[in-house]
């Protein structure tokens, strides 16, 4: 069984009611079919009135459907938004579907008829609408367009977010985003809505009769011809009805075919041979109107509703890791700098060019930046090659040149063999590499990476880091990476900026922050224990004591400190030794604390024991072997002695 398509077993009564519903729809058609003189249809359809009605129906329904598509797609797009009054607009769209057709015809007649609200003015300039073929088209459009709008609006509202934002950062303007990204994403809904509108136009009767009348060859469509013939010649009426049913079946079949055609192709699972070695990065010529990449960033980011107030100074060619706990403002900062989030009062400058300020707020497509998100967000209707070429084409590069450049970029990330695959045929790691090639292909001034490895498995993430490290090694690109992963920081970043509650609380070169973190988050990321307090004593042997609530911790000052200075003590979990509560630690260690075991968790080949110092809010961790844990009888709730050598404790000033 294919577990990916399992949706739960349906109860038996569902099948019974479904069969009853299908029969309720099918039996009347079977009954009609038993009365149709099929042998006489060719002769009956050779009559002038019948052929004229069929031709008029086909002509008008095609024109009205084209109008429904032309007007309905923009309307559905607007109604998929969240602007004020959108609910009222949605009711207006649904109203023609709820009105009896004759009421719809009366509304059109009183508006566009010779004496109607608008028709009076049209008559003065010699334009007559009522009781013309134009009236037929207007009636069909009025009753059919809501079907397309409703079908498309729902698809637009539930489509996956992010594709349009990525397209904008690749340089695509709004019109290109709408036609090349948004509409292809909802193409099945457009096809279904168009087919429904075509079917509704083909079967329209009441509004047409009321507004356009029944003039042979002018306004008498197939439904009207069937209605009139029903009284005078039932055989012709049945034959025309059969023809109309055949046409309707063809329309419904088109709808079903569109849905089948929209299914993604079979997924190709990766194998070992799919992991290709990246080639050296290709020469990257400057795009028309562009500048060489790697430019400095100066940003003052403010957003009151999210309590954000961040100042960033990023030198050209640096790779900066933006760190911090959830909700600290990392992704918000990236969204403001990329132009995807409006933040009045913020200022962003790249290479001396102001992207955002008091009088400037460039759209994302005009900023010449690139964004690599946690999800690859490859456009599902394009191949890997055309995904990478999308940004180049958006910036004016010829198709052949863009595709050749895309092949080079794919080769540079070890994905040349994936060029012809669609996103549904790629594994997570493969899609991430293609997304990286797409982001770098446009020569962006700055690349923003918002947790790009978070959704990848260990092997795929490691390969991605190697690719990124190779691309950033020459300093040709300024990059900002949002991450929670220490490996991302250590492997890629040259500098680290730590945010907390919307403010910068720590920054510096990567090795400095990781070796001497000054905030709890940075310490946790670096795998260090941290205690925050004030310098209470400086001993003769150059050791420093800091008071942390009811506890005092002694360590080595990593920088000059004065008495009373706020300080941070850092020590590794491996530096913590544990003893049973009834056993006195040997020697004269400086740091001995009564601690309670709060948690025991496997951490690789070691066991991490979480501890809390008595009468304080200081928590720390100790790494022990499995044998030591068993020998000491360590379990949650047990009281023990914790010993930390002073030489293992580094004390730095608190930021």
């Amino acid at each position: 069984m294919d577990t990916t398509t399992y949706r739960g077993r349906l109860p038996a009564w569902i099948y019974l009611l479904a069969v009853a519903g299908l029969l309720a729809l099918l039996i009347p058609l079977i009954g009609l079919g038993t009365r149709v003189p099929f042998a006489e249809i060719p002769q009956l359809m050779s009559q002038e009135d019948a052929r004229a009605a069929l031709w008029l129906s086909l002509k008008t329904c095609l024109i009205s459907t084209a109008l429904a598509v032309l007007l309905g797609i923009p309307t559905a797009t607007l109604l998929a938004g969240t602007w004020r009054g959108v609910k009222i607009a949605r009711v207006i769209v649904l109203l023609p579907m709820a009105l009896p057709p004759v009421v719809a015809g009366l509304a059109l007649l009183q508006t566009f008829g010779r004496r109607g609200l608008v028709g009076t003015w049209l008559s003065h300039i010699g334009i007559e609408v009522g009781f013309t073929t134009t009236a037929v088209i207007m009636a069909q459009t009025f009753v059919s367009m809501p079907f397309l709008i409703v079908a498309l609006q729902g698809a637009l509202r539930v489509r996956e977010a992010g594709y349009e934002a990525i397209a904008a950062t690749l340089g695509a303007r709004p019109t290109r985003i709408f036609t090349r990204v948004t509409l292809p994403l909802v193409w099945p809904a457009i096809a279904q809505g168009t087919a429904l509108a075509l079917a509704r136009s083909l079967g329209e009767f009441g509004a047409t009769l009321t507004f356009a009348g029944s003039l042979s060859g002018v306004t008498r469509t197939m439904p009207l011809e069937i209605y009139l013939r029903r009284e005078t010649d039932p055989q012709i009426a049945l034959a025309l009805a059969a023809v109309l049913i055949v046409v309707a079946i063809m329309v419904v079949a088109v709808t079903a075919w569109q849905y089948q055609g929209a299914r993604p192709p079979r997924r190709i699972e990766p194998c070992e041979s799919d992991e290709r070695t990246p080639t050296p990065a290709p020469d990257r010529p400057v795009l028309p109107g562009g500048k060489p990449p790697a430019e400095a960033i100066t940003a003052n980011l403010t957003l009151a509703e999210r309590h954000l107030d961040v100042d960033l100074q990023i030198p050209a060619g640096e790779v900066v890791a933006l760190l911090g706990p959830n909700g600290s403002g990392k992704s918000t900062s990236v969204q403001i700098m990329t132009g995807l989030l409006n933040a009045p009062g913020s200022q962003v400058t790249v290479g001396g060019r102001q992207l955002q300020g008091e009088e400037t707020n460039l759209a994302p497509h005009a900023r010449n930046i690139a964004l690599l998100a946690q999800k690859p967000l490859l456009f599902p209707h394009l191949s890997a090659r055309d995904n990478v070429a999308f940004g180049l084409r958006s910036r004016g590069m010829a198709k052949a040149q863009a595709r050749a450049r895309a092949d080079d970029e794919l080769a540079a990330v070890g994905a040349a063999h994936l060029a012809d695959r669609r996103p549904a045929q790629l594994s997570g790691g493969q899609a991430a590499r293609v997304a990286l090639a797409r982001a770098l292909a446009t020569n962006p001034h700055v690349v923003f990476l918002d947790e790009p490895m978070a959704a990848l498995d260990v092997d795929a993430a490691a390969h991605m880091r190697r690719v990124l490290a190779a691309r950033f090694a020459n300093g040709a690109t300024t990059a900002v990476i949002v991450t929670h992963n220490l490996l991302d920081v250590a492997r890629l970043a040259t500098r680290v900026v730590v945010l907390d509650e919307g403010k910068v609380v720590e920054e510096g070169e990567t090795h400095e922050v990781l070796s001497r973190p000054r905030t709890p988050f940075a310490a946790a990321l670096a795998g260090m224990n941290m205690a925050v307090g004030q310098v209470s004593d400086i001993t003769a042997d150059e050791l420093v004591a800091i008071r942390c609530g009811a506890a005092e911790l002694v360590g080595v000052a990593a920088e000059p400190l004065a008495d009373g200075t706020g300080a941070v003590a850092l020590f590794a979990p491996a530096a913590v030794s544990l003893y049973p509560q009834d056993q006195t630690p040997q020697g004269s260690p400086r740091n001995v604390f009564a601690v309670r075991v709060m948690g025991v968790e496997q951490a690789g080949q070691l066991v991490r024991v979480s501890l809390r110092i008595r009468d304080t809010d200081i928590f720390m961790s100790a790494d022990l072997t499995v044998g030591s844990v068993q020998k000491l009888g360590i379990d949650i709730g047990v009281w023990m002695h914790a010993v930390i050598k002073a030489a293992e404790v580094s004390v730095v000033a608190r930021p």
Side-chain angles (χ1 to χ4, degrees), residues 232-583:
T232 60
D233 195 339
Q235 293 295 94
I236 293 181
L238 289 172
L240 293 176
V243 172
L244 195 60
I245 289 175
V246 170
V247 175
I249 289 174
M250 294 174 62
V251 170
V252 174
V254 168
T255 305
W257 178 82
Q258 288 292 352
Y259 268 111
Q260 292 174 357
R263 293 176 181 172
R266 180 178 62 87
R267 187 180 185 88
I268 298 178
E269 297 297 334
C271 59
E272 294 183 1
S273 60
D274 281 336
E275 300 295 337
R276 307 296 175 87
T277 302
T279 63
D283 294 334
R284 302 169 69 193
V286 180
L287 295 172
K291 297 179 180 179
E295 296 187 346
I297 303 174
T298 301
N300 174 248
L301 312 174
T302 60
L303 193 59
E305 55 265 34
R306 299 191 185 181
H307 307 289
L308 184 75
D309 187 6
V310 171
D311 288 322
L312 295 175
Q313 301 288 335
I314 302 176
E318 294 278 4
V319 180
V320 174
L322 206 57
L323 309 179
N326 292 332
S328 61
K330 306 182 299 298
S331 294
T332 299
S333 298
V334 168
Q335 289 177 331
I336 295 174
M337 287 188 284
T338 56
L340 298 176
L341 179 63
N342 185 30
S346 295
Q347 297 186 6
V348 180
T349 302
V350 174
R353 185 172 69 111
Q354 190 172 59
L355 307 184
Q356 186 169 340
E358 293 182 1
E359 300 180 357
T360 305
N361 188 11
L362 296 182
H365 70 264
R367 297 196 176 201
N368 198 14
I369 50 88
L371 174 63
L372 192 64
Q374 179 175 336
K375 293 182 178 180
L377 292 173
L378 299 178
F379 307 129
H381 55 287
L382 300 179
S383 66
R385 177 185 291 109
D386 288 332
N387 261 281
V388 177
F390 181 89
L392 302 170
R393 297 281 291 132
S394 299
R395 296 169 188 262
M397 184 176 287
K399 183 176 181 179
Q401 185 181 1
R403 299 192 83 191
R405 173 77 170 277
D407 287 338
D408 290 340
E409 292 289 348
L410 287 170
V413 298
H417 60 297
L418 306 174
D420 294 321
R421 294 190 189 181
R422 292 289 183 92
Q425 297 173 293
L426 302 176
S427 68
Q430 292 168 342
R433 280 183 280 160
V434 174
L436 174 61
R438 181 179 64 181
L440 298 179
T442 57
N443 280 337
H445 292 163
V446 180
V447 177
F448 295 94
L449 304 100
D450 193 353
E451 300 193 56
M453 271 76 79
L456 302 180
D457 59 35
V458 174
D459 292 336
H463 184 85
M464 188 72 167
R465 289 188 195 97
R466 291 195 297 271
V467 172
L468 284 169
R471 297 305 294 264
F472 296 156
N474 58 3
T477 303
T478 304
V480 177
I481 304 176
V482 174
T483 184
H484 289 93
N485 194 314
L486 178 62
L487 293 176
D488 297 343
V489 179
R491 186 74 172 87
L492 301 173
T494 56
R495 294 181 59 80
V496 169
V497 175
V498 182
L499 304 184
D500 192 13
E501 296 184 353
K503 294 179 174 56
V504 176
V505 295
E506 185 174 8
E507 61 181 313
E509 294 186 8
T510 301
H511 68 90
E512 292 180 352
V513 173
L514 294 183
S515 61
R516 294 190 298 171
R518 304 189 180 200
T519 60
F521 181 85
L525 184 70
M528 302 288 283
N529 289 314
M530 169 180 283
V532 180
Q534 287 186 326
V535 175
S536 60
D537 187 24
I538 302 177
T539 65
D541 50 2
E542 298 184 352
L543 295 178
V544 176
I546 67 170
R547 172 65 59 179
C548 308
E552 187 175 72
L553 193 64
V554 178
V556 179
E559 56 188 305
L561 296 171
D563 196 12
T565 301
V568 176
L570 300 164
F571 51 98
V576 180
S577 300
L578 294 180
Y579 295 85
Q581 188 179 20
D582 58 358
Q583 180 179 339

Side-chain angles (χ1 to χ4, degrees), residues 160-223:
E160 185 175 358
Y163 288 106
E164 287 90 346
I166 289 295
T169 63
L170 292 171
R173 296 178 179 274
T175 298
R176 185 177 182 86
I177 293 174
F178 183 70
T179 57
R180 302 298 179 87
V181 178
T182 304
L183 293 186
L185 287 174
V186 294
W187 170 247
I190 295 175
Q192 184 199 33
T194 302
L196 291 174
L198 182 62
R200 184 64 184 86
S201 295
L202 189 63
E204 166 49 34
F205 171 77
T208 303
L209 181 62
T210 306
F211 181 39
S214 179
L215 303 175
S216 180
V218 179
T219 64
R220 187 179 299 169
T221 58
M222 281 281 281

